[in-house]
């Protein structure tokens, strides 16, 4: 079954002369166990696309189904529960809680979520792969951008969601660490059947993914757009 299905999804911001059509008539599906990337330049609609899938933005029109449930039919509470239980969101701005250490950010996940999190030994491997075992007792403000980014990735994975949405997850990382993150995503899709959708302008990541999409001025196309 497809975990994500988007039909004719459109979203605009503003009105009148300042109206911006951020994504236009998007058709998209993602199956279980897939690692997908949507690549496009700044302002092309990547975050808008991902935030609609994650329920952070409501589309103007179109049909969105997540794990067999039409978003349109969900109440605010049901939507919140779906987000918490099924979706791990790695936001472009990391979104760590400033007054909690990295370890406490993970503990917070245990507090707010009722379904089980990742088991300890599997999570220890993720921490090791992301090289953040040494920063667990630090606050976000005391970390580099790359460390914050890796902590945000670990937090999303720890909650053990079916669907991981990652907005520019490698923007602050050097190539080696960026590839390590993609390897972790790939292993998650292969070993646990999760679906990972990465939106990025980083073409270094293309070789890791099962399918690539291109977004240009809000229009999504499957495959790479030919460069001329
Ligand atoms: N809250 C908003 N209000 C008004 N316009 C917005 C808003 N969010 C996005 N936009 C506009 O919608 C378009 C798509 O923005 P979006 O953030 O989705 O792009 P992006 O591909 O994620 O860019 P970046 O790579 O810089 O993160 C842009 O023209 C942007 O200015
Ligand atoms: Mg963005």
């Amino acid at each position: 079954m497809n975990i994500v299905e988007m039909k004719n999804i459109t979203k605009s911001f503003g009105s009148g002369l300042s109206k911006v059509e951020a994504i236009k008539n998007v058709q998209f599906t993602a199956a279980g166990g897939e690692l997908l990337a949507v690549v496009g330049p700044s302002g092309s609609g990547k975050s808008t696309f991902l935030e609609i899938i994650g329920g952070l933005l409501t589309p103007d029109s179109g049909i969105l189904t997540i794990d067999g449930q039409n978003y349109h039919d969900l109440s605010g509470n049901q939507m919140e529960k779906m987000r918490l239980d099924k979706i791990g969101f790695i936001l472009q701005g990391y979104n760590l809680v400033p007054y909690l250490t990295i370890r406490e950010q993970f503990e917070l996940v245990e507090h707010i979520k009722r379904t089980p999190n990742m088991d300890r030994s599997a999570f220890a491997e993720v921490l090791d792969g992301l090289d953040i075992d040494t920063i667990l007792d630090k606050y976000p403000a005391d970390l580099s951008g790359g460390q914050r980014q890796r902590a945000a990735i670990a937090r999303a994975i720890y909650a053990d969601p079916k669907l991981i949405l990652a907005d520019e997850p490698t923007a602050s990382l050097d190539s080696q660490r960026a590839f390590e993150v993609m390897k972790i995503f790939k292993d998650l899709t292969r070993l646990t059947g999760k679906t990972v959708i990465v939106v990025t302008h980083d073409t270094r990541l293309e070789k890791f993914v099962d399918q690539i999409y291109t977004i240009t001025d809000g229009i999504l196309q499957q495959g790479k757009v030919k460069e001329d």
Side-chain angles (χ1 to χ4, degrees), residues 46-48 92 167-168 199:
K46 301 182 298 293
S47 294
T48 306
Q92 196 162 9
D167 195 342
E168 297 283 5
V199 303

Side-chain angles (χ1 to χ4, degrees), residues 68-116:
Q69 279 187 293
N70 186 334
Y71 262 18
H72 214 72
D73 299 334
L74 300 180
S75 67
N77 272 345
Q78 289 171 321
M79 179 85 121
E80 188 59 33
K81 192 170 168 342
M82 145 97 83
R83 267 218 301 264
L84 216 52
D85 292 346
K86 295 192 180 166
I87 303 179
F89 211 128
I90 302 156
L91 286 170
Q92 196 162 9
Y94 317 141
N95 205 32
L96 295 168
V97 184
Y99 53 85
L100 296 180
T101 65
I102 300 307
R103 190 190 305 280
E104 289 164 347
Q105 317 263 345
F106 301 142
E107 288 166 2
L108 181 65
V109 172
E110 294 168 14
H111 268 284
I112 57 180
K113 210 171 127 277
R114 268 172 254 150
T115 52

Side-chain angles (χ1 to χ4, degrees), residues 139-160:
Y139 291 91
D142 301 325
L143 301 175
S144 71
Q147 287 172 325
R148 278 201 282 263
Q149 186 144 46
R150 274 143 42 218
I153 292 168
R155 185 182 56 179
I157 292 175
Y158 179 50
D160 204 21

